[in-house]
């Protein structure tokens, strides 16, 4: 399931960051890479989403969020 | 005397790096640009126990790859200038991510001291950080500080000095996994055997970067003697490792770094069982709300402009008075010295009048920038970028382009400079091209003059309509550009939302001043030279009255006046005032005064004889949209690094202005407003 479909408040685990090389590296620098647990703080029907990665909040454009696949059950 | 000591500050954006820099150096700082780059370089110094210590504020970065200019600058500085110590500021509330940069600084072979900032917030979150343990594990000094006050400042400086005198470099303790380590060691040997390295570069770091396929490092190595051999070997290892990991090797390396960090934090930080909702979270619930977000933002902007214009008015009068006084005094002085008339006119009309007409906006602009800096430093602007992303998306930009737009209402020059925060060139140029439609402070006096003369019943509304018109046209042009010149997609939108913080007074003032300074410099340099040219054109042939119908500029005005005929203001006076307006848009007002030979107070009455409400509105629309002032043109040239874009914007903005005013005037006539 793409990150953009996760509901507000849910915690998920990043499965695969399927975007371009440059962005992938940047997201990794920001702490978001395969296996990271993230919490969706804000996800409206359109527009960018806000997620909590490690201890920071990131804004991610919807287009980018579409390309990041996640698996449910980030909560242990 | 002991040799000066050089420390560099490195850290993530929003970790308090600039606050620490301000705290250490006070106002003794120098802001410039990194050579050949449009990235700001800040340097300063302070004296500690009789030793002079130079401080350089490296650009805020999350990492040290070669993917952004900022990162390359920070990295090159550390390698080439080899500062005695790199002080790495980290946010104690967000250690895991912040230490990622630390890990890379240590890899690079920098001599690192870690300044642990924002401990109060970390405490409030329930984090217990054992800095001694952390220091032990990392192998570097770790000092707890609060960048906003003096907490830990002395310990930090002391440990910086101690670290240098010990002469030991920070050692890299990250383990990258057996497979990578083995090949890394192999490549390191090849590097050592083949190429001679600058002593600041660690061979292990170089090997690591080659495995990570770092473009900049690869290029540098290929220029070296025997560099090919090294690259070949690196290629073989690369290939082998990708087969093993079945993915990018750099992901595995990043994993190793994060693994190292996580392991360290497990031993040195106690976390509370559940995450508490912080104050920031609660504010965000309201501020980023889908329904409330935009109205709240608009109210905030409205208040900001109200405060600016109300508070700045008396200050502007003060500056105006001062300029008038200066002009009078210099006329008196020059007359008493029996200077020729042309010289008196040059000083009074040209220099003081011209530059003064720009300086008068200083209060207005500084106040607006003060408030914008406050909103930025508090963390709100990042939320505004989030809220406005949906709107900006429609014109092919994303939320980050929105901040330069807001700055444009103050002055377009710092606004255009603020596009530096945008990552890709397409986004930057598109943002720069539509920025001049944001009606800057200098256009307001033109509106005020015409509105008070022609629309006395609806002054506020008419002015407001012009601001809105600018925004609408920016959107329309953005849409057109998106479909034509800039078909590609915008850079991905990734941005950190920093926690809300109450900005320090000093920090906000320094931030405001950095922007205001730009405005003053433009008044001092570019405008000064253009003022001289225009003054000259207004004065030749010698003997004519300054800027009269017989002067060269009057003749130019007469020649081009027919162009403005279809717009309703085809008089030579209007044309000349528009030419002068290229200096700074509000010069239009002063010029009309000179040309009609009346003081500004009487100007309204005179204008009523040549303008109608409809032509007045068309004239205002033209003033709003046409060629931006010289300072903005210079900023466009500098920021796009191309004359082409500068001339393009001058031409297209003027074309848009002509069409806009034409529609207003001819449409108005058709509707019977003539």
């Amino acid at each position: 399931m793409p990150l953009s479909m996760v509901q507000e408040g849910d915690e998920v685990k990043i499965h695969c960051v399927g975007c371009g090389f440059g962005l992938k590296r940047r997201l990794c620098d920001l702490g978001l890479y395969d296996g990271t647990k993230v919490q969706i703080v804000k996800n409206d029907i359109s527009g960018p989403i806000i997620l909590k990665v490690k201890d920071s909040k990131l804004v991610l454009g919807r287009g980018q969020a579409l390309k990041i696949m996640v698996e449910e059950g980030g909560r242990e | 005397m002991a040799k000066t000591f050089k420390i560099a500050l490195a850290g993530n954006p929003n970790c308090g790096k600039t606050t620490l820099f301000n705290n250490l150096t006070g106002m003794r700082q120098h802001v410039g640009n990194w050579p050949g780059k449009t990235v700001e370089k800040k340097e300063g110094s302070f004296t500690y126990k009789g030793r002079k210590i130079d401080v350089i504020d490296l650009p805020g970065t999350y990492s040290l790859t070669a993917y952004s200019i900022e990162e390359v600058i920070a990295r090159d500085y550390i390698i080439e200038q080899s500062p005695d110590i790199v002080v790495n500021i980290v946010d104690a509330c967000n250690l895991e991510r912040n230490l990622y940069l630390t890990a890379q600084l240590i890899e690079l072979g920098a001599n690192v001291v870690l300044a642990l900032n924002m401990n109060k917030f970390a405490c409030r979150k329930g984090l217990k950080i054992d800095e001694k343990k952390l220091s032990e594990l990392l192998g570097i000094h770790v000092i707890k500080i609060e960048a906003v006050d003096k907490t830990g400042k002395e310990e930090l400086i002391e440990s910086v000095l101690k670290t240098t005198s010990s002469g030991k470099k920070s050692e890299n303790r990250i383990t990258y996994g057996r497979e990578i380590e083995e090949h890394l060691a192999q490549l390191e040997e090849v590097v050592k055997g083949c190429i001679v390295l600058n002593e600041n570069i660690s061979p292990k770091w170089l090997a690591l970067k080659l495995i990570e396929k770092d473009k900049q490092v690869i290029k540098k190595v290929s220029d070296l003697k025997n560099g090919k051999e090294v690259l070949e070997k690196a290629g073989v290892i690369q290939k082998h490792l990708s087969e093993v990991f079945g993915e990018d090797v750099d992901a595995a390396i990043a994993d190793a770094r994060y693994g190292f960090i996580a392991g360290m934090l497990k031993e040195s930080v106690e976390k509370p069982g559940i995450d508490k909702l912080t104050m920031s979270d609660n504010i965000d619930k309201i501020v980023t709300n889908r329904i409330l977000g935009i109205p709240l933002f608009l109210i905030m902007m409205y208040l900001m402009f109200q405060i600016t214009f109300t508070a700045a008015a008396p200050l502007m009068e003060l500056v105006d008075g001062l300029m008038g006084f200066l002009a009078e005094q210099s006329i008196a002085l020059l007359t008493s010295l029996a200077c020729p008339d042309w010289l008196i006119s040059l000083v009074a009309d040209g220099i003081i009048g011209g530059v003064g007409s720009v300086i008068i906006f200083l209060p207005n602009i500084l106040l607006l920038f003060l408030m914008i800096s406050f909103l930025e430093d508090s963390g709100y602007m990042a939320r505004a970028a989030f809220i406005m992303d949906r709107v900006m998306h429609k014109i092919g930009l994303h939320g980050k382009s929105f901040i330069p737009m807001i700055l444009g209402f103050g002055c377009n020059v710092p606004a255009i400079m603020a596009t530096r925060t945008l990552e890709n060139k397409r986004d930057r140029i598109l943002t720069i091209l539509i920025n001049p439609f944001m009606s800057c402070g200098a256009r307001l006096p033109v509106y005020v003059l015409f509105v008070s003369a022609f629309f006395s019943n609806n002054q506020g509304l008419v002015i407001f309509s012009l601001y809105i018109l600018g925004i609408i046209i920016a959107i329309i042009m953005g849409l057109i550009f998106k479909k034509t010149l800039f078909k590609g997609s915008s850079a991905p939108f990734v941005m950190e939302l920093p926690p809300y913080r109450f900005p320090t007074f000093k920090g906000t003032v320094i931030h405001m001043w950095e922007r205001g300074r730009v405005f003053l410099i433009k008044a001092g340099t570019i405008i000064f030279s253009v003022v001289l040219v225009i003054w000259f054109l207004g004065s030749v042939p010698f003997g004519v009255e300054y800027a009269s119908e017989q002067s060269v500029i009057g003749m130019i005005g007469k020649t081009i006046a027919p162009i403005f005929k279809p717009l309703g203001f085809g008089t030579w006076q209007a044309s000349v005032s528009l030419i002068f307006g290229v200096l700074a848009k509000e010069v239009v007002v002063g010029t009309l005064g000179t040309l009609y030979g009346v003081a500004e107070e009487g100007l309204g009455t005179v204008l009523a004889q040549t303008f109608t409400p409809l032509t007045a509105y068309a004239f205002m629309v033209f003033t709003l949209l046409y060629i931006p002032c010289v300072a903005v043109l210079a900023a466009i040239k500098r920021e796009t690094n191309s004359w082409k874009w500068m001339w393009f914007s001058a031409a297209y903005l003027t074309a848009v202005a002509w069409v806009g005013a034409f529609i207003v005037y001819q449409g108005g006539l058709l509707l019977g407003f003539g």
Side-chain angles (χ1 to χ4, degrees), chain B residues 323-332 334 340-358 527-540 542 544-548 551 553 580 583 586-587 590-591 593-595:
Chain B
M323 286 295 157
F325 175 76
L326 218 61
E328 264 168 45
Q329 289 300 308
S330 54
I331 290 174
L334 293 170
D341 281 352
W342 67 265
L343 187 65
I344 298 175
S345 160
L346 170 65
V347 173
D349 297 332
I351 299 173
I352 299 178
V355 175
S357 56
V358 179
I527 295 185
F528 184 76
S529 42
V530 180
V531 160
L532 289 185
V533 172
I534 294 204
W535 173 82
F536 181 75
L537 291 176
S539 306
V540 287
F542 287 109
V544 298
E545 200 183 319
Y546 181 59
S548 65
S551 68
I553 205 136
F580 276 78
L583 261 185
E586 45 72 60
V587 173
T591 313
T594 316
L595 296 179

Side-chain angles (χ1 to χ4, degrees), chain B residues 401-445:
Chain B
S401 290
F402 190 68
I403 294 165
M405 293 297 170
I406 292 290
L407 284 169
F409 289 116
C411 169
N412 299 110
V413 174
I416 285 169
M417 288 176 63
T419 59
R420 289 172 180 185
T421 52
L422 304 175
E423 290 96 5
N424 86 14
K425 203 165 172 200
R426 171 196 172 277
D427 290 7
R428 284 194 67 190
I429 293 183
L430 185 50
T431 310
I432 287 172
L433 284 181
I434 61 175
N435 196 280
F437 291 125
M438 300 300 115
S439 187
C440 67
R443 281 168 251 192
L444 190 63

